[in-house]
Structures are given as structure tokens and as C-alpha cells.
Amino acid sequence: MSDILIRKVGRAGHITLNRPKALNALSYDMCLAVEEALETWRDDDEVALILIDGAGDKAFCAGGDIAEMYHTGAKGDFDYGRQFWRDEYRMNAKLNEYPKPIVSFLHGFTMGGGVGLGCHGSHRVVGDSSKISMPECAIGFIPDVGGSYLLAKAPGRLGEYLGTTAARMGPGDAIYAGFADLYAPEDTWDALKSQLQSTGDISVLVGQEPPASPMQAQQAEIDALFMGEALQDVLNTLNGSDSPLAQKALKAIQANAPLSTATTIEALHRLRVGEITLRKALELEFRVSHRIMEHGDFLEGIRALIIDKDKSPKWQHATSAVPAVDVSRMLMPLGKDKLDFREKAMKIGFIGLGNMGAPMAANLAKAGHEVAGFDVAGTKAEGTSVAESAIVAADGADVVITMLPNGTILRSVADEVIPAMKPGAVLLDCSTVDVDSARAVAELAAAAGLGALDAPVSGGIGGAAGGTLTFMIGGSDEAYAKAKPLFDIMGQKSVHCGAAGAGQAAKICNNMILGVTMVATCEAFALADKLGLSREAMFDVVSTSSGYSWSMNAYCPAPGVGPQSPSDNDYTPGFASELMLKDLRLSQQAAEGADADTPMGQKAMELYRQFVENEGGQGRDFSAMLPRFEARGRDQD
Ligand code: NAD
């Protein structure tokens, strides 16, 4: 019997945790299965909403399955745990950002990982058996899986109380604290689920008046007891009070890992600075998860409470002696190891491994994706496997990327690969092509049940190698969302410009400006030369005056002046003149189709045509227009 049941029932995608003997503890494989189901159902029109529940009568989910994490961590392998947390937190964020309603039925225990799964959806249902808590500090960890987000948003200092004492919330408390939305008696749940399944209509989910919240009644006292800025302040206040609430809280805190408790309080305070978002909370939590096995009390906590069950953990600190610097160390930014919500590895087919495609494909492979490349010229990209044809590269791929010379070749490659692609995959063209070809390919792909994006780039070969390209994208929101993690690897910016063809439209408009400004910059330099102005003076004035542009400031066509550019390398491209001519032709072809008056674009195109076809410009950088103008007089043809 599977640990998790994933199926479509009527209009619902239904996920049931199915390990009742283990209180439905969430394993790594179950996390991945939940994420995959969410991805599959995102674009499935038959699925109007998602239901999540747990088998058995004791628990929705009593937490994450930490046994494997312990066994690997105890041997000094911290990577398994870190990857588990990375993937789990990404799934937590996905639940929260999902475009369809997610209804969770939280019966019995919902703790730790169960909160991450059950409490970030849009409709969280509790009943009389619900017992929700975040008990991580007891095992030397901190409230994670986005628990810190819910705690930071709970009224007053309720979050500090819940996070440091693991106090259990009943249905009234859970709604009051923001961990649940509505109460329904559990004997009505089956009927509610059936209605949701048969109608797909979230409005059939109507709750009843929830039971009173004891925590709400205690809010003023909780605020007073937990108002301190650090663990020591809270301990002082609790010690100074003999109320039953204070004494019970003190006992709970004294059993916890002191470093965990102190870090929890600090994390909640930091989260409340500025807007509280789930991603911000998960990113902060991950700083702790990443370090907790190596530097925290996590392994000792699990050993004492779960493995050896001696219940005598040897924590690193005494409860009232946690130095602030140790807490800061747990919460320090992680740099390159930061949680970035990056998707798990995708299977990518990459067709066209030329000057641009090869380094782009290599960057995807370096980031952990499985890339199969194909180029008619037999070129290869580092870290990728070589497919023997475009069809083989596309077969079974989640995303097929093309980086080809022009629209005609793109159309013929698309004709070939589209029938080989799996349903729901995305065809992502990064070449610069005409808008009509981009739209025609998108139509073909849509007819085959695929997503399609036109995503031309700016940034040249350097940007392709450095992963700093800018992508301008046309296509659907769904296809864009799927490819977004790849844009983040290959580039520094991606702009979703609109529907199919919008990316190419943005690209040719941008490059029409570039062609015109480069011509203008070069002719102005040539004029300045003839007027006896030094090139340094020309650059110094124009780059800080109203004549400035990217062509002047970032790509100065005069050798030895301004920043390093192809002019300093004898005009070796860079961006070749024939590619600029291609883009200007595309702009004029589009202008003609759209009846747009573009005299400057037209003139720039004619100049580049002459340069490439008759004046030796082929193979030279497009800024080599400067020596061309320099060598000419006013009346020359
Ligand atoms: P390139 O000529 O170096 O690469 C194109 C590759 O496609 C070649 O290796 C070629 O063998 C391959 N190819 C051609 N037909 C094929 C087919 N049927 N199947 C498989 N492979 C095939 O060109 P590039 O500089 O890498 O540019 C690629 C695209 O990116 C172009 O559309 C260009 O306009 C655009 N672009 C280039 C730059 C730049 O600075 N080079 C900048 C922005 C955009």
C-alpha cells in the first residue's frame, strides 16, 4: 500500500497521506509526490481544486519523517537533510502560492511537517479532534516548514508562546492564531469532501461557529509573559510569575534545546520587520536548517527523544546561558547556499549549441539539470549529453530549448520536435526570429498540448557564458512559470512581455534602437574627429550629457576610450554586424506588416546592409561602423 494516495476524483485532485501507523509522518518521497501532483494539476482543467487529508483517526500528519535525516546526519552527511528541507520548503511555498483552492482537513495531530503541508493552503478545515502545534524546539530544531511565518503573524506574542512551548491548539485556537480558516464537525467532512469533488466549487465549503479559543482568553497574559526581546527576558518574566500558564510554559521551555528556543524568538522578531511573507520565513528558517545538524542540537535532540528514547539530551547551552552571538550565527545569511526555491532537476533538450546555445546549455547542466544537446554541426556543451538528433533530445524532456540562426530553421526544427515532446512540456525558443515565426510555432505547440515561449535574449556571448542574459518573453503565464527557474539560471532578468510573439517584438524594438544609436554614436565620433575634438573629451562629455546611450557608455565604439569593448580588440565580435543586420531586417519586416513608420530603423538597416555586403563588415563587430565613417567623406555613396 502506498504511503500517499494521489488521484483525481470528480473535479478534485485528492491527496491522502496514508501512513496511519506512523501518524502519517511526511517522508521525503511523499513531499516530492505532493509537489509533482500540484504541478500536474496546475494546468489540468478537469481539476478545479485540491483536497488534502490523512488516513486513520489519530493524525492528519504528526510531522516530517526525520529518521533518515538522523541516520545520514549522524554519519556526517548533512547534504541529505539539506536537500530534503530545500525540496520540502519549496513545496510549502507552492501550496501557499497555488492558483487553485487547496482544502486541507486537519484532524487529530497536525505538527511540524504536517503544519507545512496542511496550513499554507487557501482553505484549512479543523474539527473537534484537531491538535495543532510546532514542537521542534524539543528536538533541537526551530519551527520550520513556514511555521515561523504563521507564528510571526499570530496575534501579539502568541507566536513566541506557541513556538517555544509547543502548546497545542484546539480548533478554536487554531482559527484564532491563523493556522486554520474554518471549523466543521468531523462527521460532516465526508459529505463536504464529496460535494467539493462533485462540484469543484469552493463555495460549498461552509463552516460553522468554531468553539471558543482558550488562547484568545489568555492573550493579554501571553503578551505580558512573552514580550521580552530575547530568551533571557522571557525566562525572567516567567520566573517572576506564579500563574499556572507561566509555570507550565517555563517547564516546557526548560526541557527544550536552549539554542533552539533563543533562535526561535529572534527569528520571529526579525520576521516582523517589514512585510511578513512565507518565502521570507522559509529562507530564514533554511539558514537554521542548513546549520542545525552540524552546529546545533538537532542530532542530539533526535537521539535522546526518538532513537535512544532516554529523554536526557545533552544540549550545548544551559537554558539561561545562550550567547546572542550563537543565535546570530544560526541566522546569518547563507550566501551561495541560500534557499532559492529552485525546482528539482528538469530534463532539458537543447537544440542549437552555437556561440550562445553552448554556454547557456552548460550553465543549465552546471545547475544540476539533465541536459541532452543537439547541433547539426556536431558541437557540444560542457556537462551535457549528446543526442543523436533533435527528436532524441526532445523525447521525454520537460523543456526543449532552441537557440537557432533564424525563423525558417526554427519552424523546421519545431515541426520535427513537437510530435516527439511529452504532453505539458514547454518549447522555449531563445533565438532571435521574426514575430510571425514565433507565433506560428506557438500555435503548433498549443495544438499539440504543449506550452510555448518566445524568449529572445540580450547580453551577447559574455552574458550567455556568465548567466547574466536578459530574457524578453512572450507566451502563457503557465509556461512562463514552468520555465522561470531556467531563466534564473541562464540570466539575471526575465521580463514576461505578453502573449506569443511579445518577446520577439520587444527584442526587435530594442535592437532597432541599438542599431540606430550605434550608427549615431559612430557618425558623431567621426564628425568630432574631423572637428579636432579628442575622443576622450568626446566620451567624457557625451557619456554624461544628453547624447549618452548604451552604445556610448557601455560599448564605446572608439578604441582605448571608455570601458573595455570589442573596439579594443580590433572589432572582433562581440555582436557581429551581420547579426545586427538580421535584427534590423526583422524590425523593418515587422514594421511593414504593422504599417509602422520607422525611418531611422530603415536607414540603420540600409547602412548595415551596405557595410556587411559591400564594405567588409561581415564578421566585424557592429561598432566597427566607426572606422567605416572615419574613412568616408560627406558625398560618398
Ligand atoms: P550560432 O550561429 O553560433 O549558433 C547557431 C547554431 O545553430 C549553430 O551551431 C548551428 O550549427 C545550429 N543549427 C543550425 N541549424 C540547426 C538545426 N536544424 N538543428 C540543430 N542545430 C542547428 O549563433 P549564435 O550566436 O549562437 O546565435 C543564436 C541565436 O541567438 C540567433 O538567433 C541570434 O540572432 C541570437 N542572438 C545572438 C547574440 C550574439 O551575441 N551572438 C545575442 C543575442 C541573440
Side-chain angles (χ1 to χ4, degrees):
M1 194 68 167
S2 168
D3 286 346
I4 186 162
L5 308 177
I6 293 177
R7 68 277 192 209
K8 286 203 276 187
V9 186
R11 302 292 322 277
H14 194 160
I15 299 174
T16 302
L17 308 182
N18 193 33
R19 300 176 75 192
K21 285 194 185 131
L23 299 182
N24 293 325
L26 194 63
S27 67
Y28 188 17
D29 286 346
M30 289 159 78
C31 284
L32 295 178
V34 169
E35 183 178 21
E36 194 181 330
L38 291 176
E39 281 311 319
T40 308
W41 290 332
R42 187 190 287 273
D43 302 326
D44 184 340
D45 292 339
E46 287 173 13
V47 174
L49 49 82
I50 314 292
L51 298 184
I52 309 182
D53 56 12
D57 53 11
K58 291 210 172 53
F60 166 71
C61 172
D65 188 339
I66 43 186
E68 189 61 22
M69 253 185 219
Y70 174 80
H71 292 303
T72 48
K75 285 187 214 137
D77 168 12
F78 308 125
D79 287 343
Y80 171 83
R82 288 169 180 164
Q83 193 58 43
F84 185 151
W85 279 312
R86 263 183 202 284
D87 291 339
E88 184 176 23
Y89 294 1
R90 192 184 58 241
M91 182 269 285
N92 299 142
K94 233 167 230 185
L95 287 163
N96 189 243
E97 295 159 7
Y98 205 63
K100 299 178 181 181
I102 296 182
V103 190
S104 50
F105 289 89
L106 309 173
H107 76 284
F109 291 109
T110 296
M111 303 197 286
V115 167
L117 179 65
C119 297
H120 295 310
S122 56
H123 296 75
R124 304 157 300 173
V125 184
V126 279
D128 293 302
S129 73
S130 300
K131 292 180 274 291
I132 302 182
S133 63
M134 295 301 291
E136 288 82 355
C137 288
I139 53 160
F141 195 22
I142 65 156
D144 72 327
V145 293
S148 68
Y149 164 73
L150 297 164
L151 294 173
K153 291 205 329 171
R157 295 294 173 122
L158 188 56
E160 281 84 338
Y161 168 63
L162 291 168
T164 58
T165 65
R168 280 182 191 160
M169 293 173 270
D173 291 330
I175 292 174
Y176 174 65
F179 280 65
D181 301 295
L182 57 109
Y183 164 80
E186 285 167 41
D187 58 6
T188 67
W189 285 13
D190 282 347
L192 279 175
K193 289 178 199 174
S194 300
Q195 279 179 290
L196 289 165
Q197 287 164 341
S198 60
T199 62
D201 179 1
I202 196 65
S203 69
V204 303
L205 185 66
V206 182
Q208 299 186 12
E209 180 68 21
S213 160
M215 288 181 190
Q216 184 172 14
Q218 293 170 315
Q219 182 76 58
E221 188 183 358
I222 289 171
D223 288 350
L225 292 171
F226 284 84
M227 72 189 294
E229 278 313 300
L231 173 60
Q232 192 55 51
D233 306 324
V234 172
L235 288 170
N236 292 343
T237 319
L238 291 174
N239 272 313
S241 166
D242 50 14
S243 82
L245 176 70
Q247 290 310 304
K248 204 169 159 204
L250 189 58
K251 205 166 153 217
I253 290 179
Q254 281 167 339
N256 288 342
L259 180 61
S260 295
T261 315
T263 306
T264 299
I265 291 173
E266 176 64 17
L268 295 184
H269 292 181
R270 287 194 192 185
L271 283 175
R272 292 200 192 103
V273 178
E275 193 194 352
I276 309 172
T277 67
L278 178 58
R279 282 189 177 229
K280 179 172 146 188
L282 289 164
E283 194 267 314
L284 191 67
E285 290 168 4
F286 187 70
R287 297 180 191 182
V288 181
S289 322
H290 193 271
R291 300 184 168 108
I292 200 81
M293 285 203 254
E294 203 171 357
H295 304 296
D297 289 309
F298 183 68
L299 293 174
E300 172 61 6
I302 302 180
R303 184 205 62 72
L305 274 92
I306 294 168
I307 308 291
D308 297 345
K309 297 196 169 69
D310 61 25
K311 300 208 169 106
S312 310
K314 292 179 187 51
W315 303 130
Q316 293 180 42
H317 303 82
T319 305
S320 56
V322 184
V325 65
D326 289 8
V327 172
S328 296
R329 227 175 256 144
M330 296 307 283
L331 291 167
M332 254 171 12
L334 281 169
K336 67 174 180 40
D337 291 322
K338 174 181 175 188
L339 178 70
D340 53 11
F341 301 95
R342 193 172 283 179
E343 296 293 320
K344 61 183 190 298
M346 281 193 223
K347 203 165 171 244
I348 297 168
F350 206 115
I351 301 168
L353 301 170
N355 290 323
M356 296 292 287
M360 289 163 72
N363 282 335
L364 292 171
K366 204 161 100 195
H369 294 293
E370 194 187 318
V371 185
F374 173 72
D375 192 298
V376 278
T379 45
K380 292 178 191 160
E382 209 181 315
T384 67
S385 65
V386 179
E388 63 203 30
S389 70
I391 293 176
V392 172
D395 185 22
D398 301 300
V399 177
V400 173
I401 304 180
T402 46
M403 194 55 174
L404 297 162
N406 58 50
T408 311
I409 296 178
L410 169 67
R411 285 181 194 236
S412 89
V413 168
D415 281 344
E416 229 185 307
V417 298
I418 284 174
M421 288 173 66
K422 69 175 183 189
V426 171
L427 179 57
L428 165 58
D429 177 46
C430 297
S431 335
T432 305
V433 303
D434 55 290
V435 178
D436 288 347
S437 292
R439 292 196 173 133
V441 167
E443 269 173 36
L444 259 185
L450 305 172
L453 295 170
D454 50 292
V457 304
S458 149
I461 298 165
T468 56
L469 295 167
T470 295
F471 289 86
M472 342 175 182
I473 298 141
S476 70
D477 289 344
E478 294 75 30
Y480 176 62
K482 187 154 186 186
K484 175 81 171 56
L486 306 183
F487 295 133
D488 293 344
I489 295 165
M490 297 186 287
Q492 61 185 350
K493 190 170 163 111
S494 60
V495 183
H496 190 190
C497 302
Q504 296 296 351
K507 168 78 185 175
I508 59 178
C509 290
N510 179 72
N511 277 23
M512 187 172 81
I513 297 174
L514 177 63
V516 169
T517 56
M518 182 54 84
V519 168
T521 305
C522 291
E523 68 182 24
F525 259 120
L527 171 62
D529 286 347
K530 290 185 179 171
L531 296 176
L533 192 62
S534 81
R535 288 185 166 179
E536 282 77 13
M538 173 76 177
F539 177 80
D540 286 349
V541 171
V542 175
S543 64
T544 52
S545 300
S546 45
Y548 81 98
S549 69
W550 186 87
S551 299
M552 173 61 88
N553 291 37
Y555 206 93
C556 182
V561 178
Q564 271 285 321
S565 71
S567 66
D568 299 308
N569 191 19
D570 198 23
Y571 298 101
T572 305
F575 184 45
S577 296
E578 58 271 26
L579 288 179
M580 175 46 88
L581 174 59
K582 167 190 159 185
D583 292 356
L584 286 167
R585 279 187 168 133
L586 290 176
S587 74
Q588 295 320 292
Q589 188 184 329
E592 202 147 292
D595 191 26
D597 188 20
T598 54
M600 304 298 285
Q602 178 72 24
K603 185 69 191 168
M605 182 192 76
E606 282 159 14
L607 285 167
Y608 273 104
R609 187 175 47 73
Q610 199 174 325
F611 185 48
V612 169
E613 292 175 1
N614 306 324
E615 297 170 352
Q618 172 95 24
R620 304 196 77 197
D621 189 73
F622 84 122
S623 59
M625 269 285 162
L626 173 51
R628 172 197 182 272
F629 278 117
E630 229 184 308
R632 293 168 59 89
R634 188 157 180 79
D635 293 329
Q636 243 170 305
D637 279 340

